[in-house]
Amino acid sequence: MSTDAPKSRKVIPIAAQSADGELVSLYASHQKIHPRSTTGFFTNWRWALVWLTQIIFYGLPWLEWGQRQAVLFDLGARRFYIFGLVLYPQDFIYLTGLMVISALSLFLFTAVAGRLWCGYACPQTVYTEIFLWIEHKVEGNRSARMRRDAQPWSVAKASRKSLKHLLWLMLALWTGFSFVGYFTPIKELGVEVIQMSMGSWEIFWTFFYGFATYGNAGFMREQVCKHMCPYARFQSAMFDKDTLIVTYDTERGEPRGARSRSADPKVLKLGACVDCSLCVQVCPTGIDIRKGLQYECIGCGVCVDVCDTVMDKLGYERGLIKYSTDNAMKNHWSQAQTLRHVLRPRVLVYTTILSSIVLAVLISLSMRTPFKVDVVRDRGVTARPVAGGKIENVYRLQLMNATEKQQRYKITVNGLPGLQISSETVLAVESTQARWVPVRVQAPFDAAAPGSHPIHFEIDALDSSGHLSEKSVFLMPR
Ligand code: SF4
Ligand code: SF4
């Protein structure tokens, strides 16, 4: 240890001292959240999206298109099948387009209604909802679950918990299996599972994806949204005073307090909030929306549903908690006025850019040539004189058939006087296959000065429509 260390060191305490001198830990241990089940408009929407996303996710790999799986990303063969489309890695631009569309959609939805994605369609939300449903079915409602958690271990408690974990694991592994089914034909994968002959990568990804689902939806839950998801951190940058967010109407709700159903709140000098805490009990992230907008709020709207139920029971007007905007709350706007302000320039700009990109991608896809060509000069063969007073250059052409039928392609070349192909000019390529072919090109000795000259290969599909022109160079020796 250094001898010249300062005598008094600044120490950062891990426990804070409260006003009365008692030490208070700055580390709060995680409290498990047991959200109460709800019913209502927004809950129904959440479930509709759970069904929709999961029918697509689990069902899509089983759909057939002709003789093959409708959606398959065959990484080994470097072919991506999406219904009638056969894409090659060279079609990466469409993936870029898809990512730009996804990012812009997220910006647009967030500008309009905050964390719509988080609350309704994010896989973390969706799987947590499904896992919670299983938990509810096996372990009972919120109070039963909390009671059981507080009880000491017993055979009954252990068997309930084991059954829940077994069901969770089965669902998680099925999820992992379905995920791998997007990359390996799912029917073959199913046979491999039965015969216990899955490949090592298939085993790894099935278990990795399955355990990620099990861990995130069964244990981590709201912790993922609060501490791991970067979107939660930067979403506030996309909010403004006209963004629809789940809001508690403080003016109407406060002062809060319990009362009997028949009591007149005006006489009791109370607001509309009966302080039943149901909005906190249903919240999947365990927050109290009455404290104002918090970054933990995923905008799921279940607190809106439960509070509306309470308002209905008391005969009060609905909407003590509702989707509203900062400006609408301050200016007491009606619903129509609020919605008018939601359609502001920023939203219109996002919408215009998003629609233009979607349109551009669709047009580009519809005009896409159903084959691809790569031209490479054969560097092993230099420009050489051949019989007939000609100079020959050799190229390698890769012809990629992006249709599901055998195709023949006719190759011609231009760019110099008398330039022609001396090898085969009509080539067949099997369905969805790629083929490398050597192509010999000859030009008269006096067709051009020594040096490099631009030329073009013209490729025509004979069995379907399509034409491509690929640039290359022809070398004339000195
Ligand atoms: S559910 Fe409504 S009434 Fe009950 S505590 Fe929350 S805001 Fe108040
Ligand atoms: S506060 Fe309401 S909207 Fe926000 S996460 Fe909790 S239940 Fe969902």
Side-chain angles (χ1 to χ4, degrees):
M1 188 193 264
S2 168
T3 49
D4 53 13
K7 279 182 186 154
S8 62
R9 289 213 192 113
K10 199 174 174 186
V11 176
I12 299 169
I14 57 163
Q17 202 162 18
S18 65
D20 57 6
E22 190 194 337
L23 279 180
V24 179
S25 174
L26 292 179
Y27 294 105
S29 57
H30 172 237
Q31 301 290 325
K32 188 174 177 189
I33 294 172
H34 288 284
R36 180 189 275 269
S37 314
T38 45
T39 50
F41 181 76
F42 296 110
T43 308
N44 292 345
W45 264 110
R46 288 187 95 203
W47 274 106
L49 277 146
V50 168
W51 278 104
L52 180 70
T53 51
Q54 296 320 291
I55 285 173
I56 293 174
F57 176 74
Y58 293 115
L60 210 49
W62 296 98
L63 262 190
E64 294 280 314
W65 187 270
Q67 301 300 308
R68 63 161 167 89
Q69 192 168 312
V71 177
L72 180 69
F73 306 109
D74 189 345
L75 297 179
R78 303 205 293 169
R79 304 277 185 287
F80 310 111
Y81 303 93
I82 304 170
F83 297 99
L85 278 178
V86 181
L87 301 175
Y88 281 78
Q90 284 81 348
D91 292 308
F92 198 75
I93 184 77
Y94 296 114
L95 180 64
T96 314
L98 189 68
M99 284 160 80
V100 173
I101 290 170
S102 309
L104 276 170
S105 308
L106 199 63
F107 294 164
L108 174 63
F109 296 145
T110 309
V112 171
R115 295 176 71 178
L116 267 192
W117 164 257
C118 300
Y120 295 86
C122 170
Q124 179 61 24
T125 301
V126 166
Y127 287 106
T128 301
E129 198 70 18
I130 301 173
F131 274 53
L132 268 170
W133 179 82
I134 295 175
E135 191 169 66
H136 180 95
K137 289 288 163 206
V138 177
E139 288 208 59
N141 62 21
R142 180 175 188 264
S143 353
R145 297 199 302 266
M146 287 168 81
R147 256 198 322 275
R148 183 168 298 105
D149 276 6
Q151 281 167 2
W153 281 98
S154 63
V155 175
K157 178 173 172 173
S159 35
R160 288 248 180 196
K161 295 267 178 202
S162 309
L163 176 62
K164 176 183 83 177
H165 284 282
L166 180 69
L167 293 174
W168 279 1
L169 276 169
M170 281 163 62
L171 176 65
L173 287 176
W174 185 253
T175 308
F177 171 79
S178 302
F179 173 74
V180 175
Y182 280 89
F183 301 93
T184 299
I186 201 159
K187 287 186 180 164
E188 288 171 26
L189 192 65
V191 174
E192 285 174 18
V193 171
I194 294 165
Q195 296 174 345
M196 293 175 67
S197 61
M198 278 168 90
S200 50
W201 279 109
E202 289 157 350
I203 293 173
F204 171 79
W205 281 108
T206 302
F207 280 90
F208 180 81
Y209 200 87
F211 279 119
T213 308
Y214 176 65
N216 287 338
F219 300 93
M220 302 289 287
R221 294 188 177 170
E222 80 289 348
Q223 303 290 313
V224 175
C225 314
K226 279 181 174 175
H227 308 299
M228 290 162 72
C229 176
Y231 177 51
R233 303 283 156 179
F234 69 76
Q235 49 145 351
S236 55
M238 289 185 264
F239 280 23
D240 61 23
K241 290 184 183 307
D242 286 312
T243 299
L244 283 168
I245 45 175
V246 174
T247 319
Y248 168 68
D249 189 343
T250 316
E251 242 175 68
R252 217 191 113 194
E254 301 297 317
R256 66 188 77 157
R259 83 277 323 247
S260 71
R261 256 185 221 198
S262 52
D264 182 353
K266 282 195 189 115
V267 175
L268 296 171
K269 294 203 170 45
L270 286 174
C273 175
V274 295
D275 208 11
C276 60
S277 85
L278 283 175
C279 50
V280 184
Q281 292 176 32
V282 297
C283 179
T285 63
I287 58 166
D288 185 346
I289 193 66
R290 294 172 299 171
K291 291 180 182 164
L293 178 65
Q294 294 142 74
Y295 83 92
E296 294 98 331
C297 175
I298 57 167
C300 64
V302 293
C303 55
V304 177
D305 282 341
V306 80
C307 191
D308 280 348
T309 319
V310 176
M311 295 295 110
D312 288 350
K313 279 188 188 146
L314 290 163
Y316 296 175
E317 193 191 333
R318 284 181 162 210
L320 179 58
I321 304 177
K322 61 184 172 190
Y323 277 98
S324 187
T325 70
D326 205 19
N327 275 337
M329 295 303 284
K330 275 189 196 131
N331 302 312
H332 303 105
W333 284 339
S334 66
Q335 206 175 21
Q337 281 174 308
T338 310
L339 290 177
R340 257 204 311 280
H341 283 84
V342 167
L343 294 176
R344 55 204 185 277
R346 185 177 164 193
V347 169
L348 298 178
V349 169
Y350 282 152
T351 313
T352 313
I353 299 175
L354 182 62
S355 328
S356 316
I357 295 178
V358 170
L359 199 66
V361 169
L362 289 178
I363 291 175
S364 154
L365 267 176
S366 66
M367 292 171 64
R368 178 175 162 269
T369 317
F371 66 95
K372 312 212 160 294
V373 181
D374 269 348
V375 179
V376 183
R377 268 202 89 250
D378 192 336
R379 297 191 187 278
V381 184
T382 49
R384 62 190 176 197
V386 289
K390 291 183 173 175
I391 297 296
E392 183 177 88
N393 281 203
V394 182
Y395 303 82
R396 277 162 53 79
L397 260 69
Q398 190 187 26
L399 292 164
M400 291 166 266
N401 179 0
T403 71
E404 301 199 51
K405 287 193 183 126
Q406 192 207 54
Q407 298 287 331
R408 286 171 307 134
Y409 301 104
K410 183 171 170 49
I411 307 168
T412 52
V413 66
N414 60 50
L416 288 174
L419 195 68
Q420 59 179 333
I421 294 173
S422 61
S423 52
E424 221 180 327
T425 54
V426 176
L427 296 150
V429 183
E430 292 304 317
S431 96
T432 72
Q433 295 301 305
R435 181 179 164 193
W436 282 101
V437 282
V439 176
R440 294 196 306 276
V441 178
Q442 296 180 353
F445 189 70
D446 55 356
S452 156
H453 302 275
I455 61 167
H456 284 92
F457 286 93
E458 309 291 340
I459 303 100
D460 287 285
L462 297 179
D463 302 312
S464 60
S465 61
H467 173 88
L468 279 177
S469 184
E470 280 293 313
K471 221 162 78 175
S472 188
V473 290
F474 190 90
L475 296 181
M476 288 297 245
R478 289 178 194 282

